[in-house]
Amino acid sequence: MDHHCPWTTNCVSHTTFPHFIRFLFYACTSMLYLFNLLYPRLSLIWSDRHLPAYLGPSALQLAHLFLLTLTNTATLFVLSILLIRNIWCLAVNTTTIEGWEIERHRTLVRRARFFGGYLDGPDGVKMRIAHQEFPYDIGIWANFKQGMGTANVLAWFWPFAKTLGVEGGLEFETNGFEERGATWPPPDPDRLTRKMPKGFDRDAEAFTYLDEGLSNEETVAAFRERQERDAVRRRKPFADRLEARVVKEKGGLEEDAYDAYDGYEDDEGEDGEHSGEEGWRNSEGERLRDFGVDEDAEFYDEEDDVPLSELIARKRKEQGTPS
């Protein structure tokens, strides 16, 4: 799935993506044609602006022309950006969600490099985080053929082209830059489950109802306060968390103050290590799991970000094929 489109009342996916590209292309083409019809009228009105008003269009006609031009221009601008973006996604063979995954993975790699290649995982486990290439970018032409369902360029523009079959949406060709069996997306320590659920390793807190002695109004107020704290905790920038961690290691913060400042809940394993490392979020504080994305973990060797053309050249050299 790429995203849900309210304008087409449907999900843009492997089967409907070619239709969505055609929809954007013909919508932009139609609005360009409409603008071509509006421009002579606007130009004539502007050139005759010094003539008496009764020689020109009525106030209602002027208002209609102005609103139509404004709406057409704004919509054309927005859909043109969307069309260009989706053509780029088609060229690199990524969906909207995969683009977020790539950005999140790069963020985790940058953080891991600061801590020597490791981040805190559940139950105090140190997880190795290293760079992994996006596996489904198989070259621009191959990406276009796969995304549009055919190598016939004329068929890409045919409005009545058939919908792609769902049988082709389960397995996709990979570029072979990673080891066989490597999965995408790469691991995120914050998405791995604990061996022991929170609270079960602490008898004093397991199955404890903290609001037992509060009235109904106080219970609601306490719940809303926890909601606000949780919203702040989930959106705490990594830089603030890192600063708090450094201050704590130097002995500048008490444990409770560190938990509040750093954004962690008091969730420690037997070795005292905090469980969970904050992963990537978008500008609204949402995680990929909020969109129903399930992620597997696979470990890999780190390598600097290398352009696809260079990786293809290396692969051909290893296979002994001419470039």
Side-chain angles (χ1 to χ4, degrees), residues 28-310:
C28 291
T29 303
S30 301
M31 285 182 285
L32 282 173
Y33 180 69
L34 176 58
F35 186 81
N36 185 60
L37 298 177
L38 294 174
Y39 179 77
R41 292 164 173 78
L42 295 171
S43 178
L44 181 61
I45 292 175
W46 178 255
S47 62
D48 295 344
R49 64 187 182 279
H50 299 298
L51 296 179
Y54 64 85
L55 295 178
S58 64
L60 181 61
Q61 290 173 331
L62 280 175
H64 179 266
L65 181 62
F66 174 77
L67 290 177
L68 180 59
T69 303
L70 181 63
T71 303
N72 183 71
T73 303
T75 308
L76 176 60
F77 175 75
V78 173
L79 286 190
S80 296
I81 294 177
L82 187 59
L83 175 61
I84 294 173
R85 181 187 180 280
N86 277 273
I87 292 177
W88 178 84
C89 288
L90 182 61
V92 296
N93 213 15
T94 62
T95 64
T96 300
I97 293 178
E98 286 171 335
W100 292 345
E101 291 172 342
I102 293 173
E103 182 180 347
R104 174 183 58 83
H105 174 55
R106 290 174 178 171
T107 301
L108 290 177
V109 170
R110 288 195 301 269
R111 294 176 182 176
R113 286 174 178 171
F114 184 87
F115 294 107
Y118 292 85
L119 293 178
D120 294 336
D123 301 304
V125 176
K126 293 290 186 179
M127 291 187 57
R128 183 169 181 265
I129 305 296
H131 176 72
Q132 178 175 327
E133 290 293 336
F134 180 68
Y136 302 113
D137 187 357
I138 55 178
I140 295 179
W141 175 242
N143 292 338
F144 270 96
K145 289 194 298 182
Q146 184 184 89
M148 299 304 293
T150 177
N152 186 352
V153 179
L154 295 178
W156 297 354
F157 300 92
W158 178 238
F160 303 104
K162 67 176 183 178
T163 301
L164 299 183
V166 296
E167 64 277 359
L170 300 179
E171 295 183 1
F172 296 94
E173 181 182 354
T174 59
N175 50 35
F177 296 140
E178 297 297 328
E179 296 180 1
R180 179 180 294 274
T183 59
W184 183 270
D188 181 352
D190 205 30
R191 286 171 170 74
L192 300 182
T193 58
R194 298 189 58 185
K195 297 178 181 178
M196 183 178 297
K198 177 185 174 183
F200 279 70
D201 53 345
R202 292 172 289 189
D203 296 336
E205 296 187 15
F207 305 106
T208 301
Y209 181 53
L210 302 178
D211 300 339
E212 184 176 2
L214 302 180
S215 64
N216 292 337
E217 292 77 10
E218 292 173 338
T219 301
V220 174
F223 173 73
R224 290 177 177 174
E225 183 179 354
R226 289 194 297 271
Q227 278 186 318
E228 294 176 358
R229 288 201 306 265
D230 185 64
V232 173
R233 177 182 63 82
R234 287 186 289 109
R235 290 165 174 78
K236 180 70 68 175
F238 179 75
D240 294 344
R241 298 185 55 187
L242 176 59
E243 181 181 352
R245 180 171 184 170
V246 173
V247 172
K248 181 198 173 185
E249 292 175 351
K250 293 181 179 180
L253 287 177
E254 297 294 334
E255 187 70 23
D256 294 340
Y258 168 73
D259 290 334
Y261 180 70
D262 182 54
Y264 279 112
E265 294 182 350
D266 187 14
D267 185 16
E268 296 182 349
E270 296 179 358
D271 57 356
E273 292 290 337
H274 285 279
S275 297
E277 174 66 29
E278 180 186 44
W280 177 85
R281 300 179 188 276
N282 62 16
S283 59
E284 298 178 356
E286 298 168 322
R287 300 297 299 268
L288 289 174
R289 63 186 175 196
D290 298 331
F291 297 87
V293 178
D294 188 18
E295 300 179 350
D296 298 321
E298 182 71 25
F299 294 95
Y300 41 81
D301 293 329
E302 181 175 0
E303 186 180 14
D304 292 333
D305 195 10
V306 181
L308 179 62
S309 58
E310 175 65 21

